[in-house]
Amino acid sequence: MEEAVEALRADREALLEIGEGLSDAAWAAPSGCPGWSVQDVVAHMDALFWMVVDASSLPDTGGAPTEEAQEIYVAGRRSWSADRVLEDYRSVSTDAIEGLAALATETFDLPLGDLGTYPASSLANAFAFDHYTHIRADLFAPRGPLSGAAPPSDALRLAPALAWVAAALPQQNAATIATLDGSVECEISGPGGRRLTIGAGDSTARIESDGAAFVRWITHRGEWDELGVLATGDPASVATVRTLRVF
C-alpha cells in the first residue's frame, strides 16, 4: 500500500496549496457535494483523518450510516473559520498518513460499517480514493466552483483510487449485482487501468472507460455520455451497471 500512502501525501500537499490560495468567497462557494461548501469538503477530509488519529475527538454519531455520520462531522466544524479548518487538516493529516502507512503490514480485517469489511492494509486506498474524488470532482469545475487545473489524474493517484473501487464495488452493491443475468466486463484504460468483472457467469455486456471517468461515474459525479463511456451488449445489464455506486 506504499503507492496509496504516496498518493495521499501528494494530494495532501496539493490540497494545502489550493487552500492557501482561496479567497473567503471561494471557501464559502457551493461545492460539487450537494449541501456542502468548499470549506465543508475540506472539513470532511479533516474529520476523516481524525478517525485514524483519535476518533474520540469527533462528535458522537450514534451509529448513524456512513453518509449521515459524515454530515454530523462536517456540521460540527461549520462554525470554524476556513483558516482553522485548513490548519487542523495540515496538522492531523501528517499523523494520520503515518498511521495509515503503519497498517500496510497488518493482516487483520477492518469492519467499516455499511461500507463493508476490508483488510486493514488497504485502508490507505480508501483515503486516497476519498481525496482523489473530492478534490477533482467536487472542488474543481465542472461540478465544483474552482477554476484552473486540478491536481493530476496520474497513475500514482488513480491506481489506489481504482483499487478501492475494485474492493468496495461488490460489497457496497451486492444486492444489485445479484440481479445481473451474467457478468459485465469493465475495461478501464489509461493511468491505473485494469479490467473489472462485475457479477458472475458469462459476460453479457462490456463497458469501456478511462480511469478518471470511471471514478466519476461510479461515484455518480458524471453521466456516461459526457464522460465518453462506451457500453455494448445486453441493455438490461448495462442499465443495472449504470446504477452502481461506490463510496
Side-chain angles (χ1 to χ4, degrees), residues 31-87:
S31 75
C33 284
W36 282 8
S37 67
V38 167
Q39 181 172 324
D40 288 336
V41 173
V42 179
H44 156 73
M45 290 187 277
D46 174 47
L48 276 190
F49 275 144
W50 274 108
M51 293 185 71
V52 177
V53 174
D54 180 11
S56 67
S57 68
L58 297 170
D60 181 12
T61 63
T66 297
E67 285 197 281
E68 292 179 22
Q70 302 315 307
E71 292 285 352
I72 293 169
Y73 296 150
V74 168
R77 284 163 157 68
R78 208 159 264 143
S79 63
W80 293 14
S81 68
D83 285 346
R84 182 180 176 187
V85 168
L86 191 63
E87 288 310 306

Side-chain angles (χ1 to χ4, degrees), residues 122-145:
S122 71
L123 190 59
N125 285 337
F127 280 78
F129 163 82
D130 191 76
H131 267 61
Y132 176 90
T133 305
H134 282 308
I135 292 172
R136 292 156 184 80
D138 296 329
L139 297 186
F140 282 87
R143 282 174 53 89

Side-chain angles (χ1 to χ4, degrees), residues 19-36:
E20 288 163 358
L22 295 181
S23 65
D24 290 344
W27 277 107
S31 75
C33 284
W36 282 8

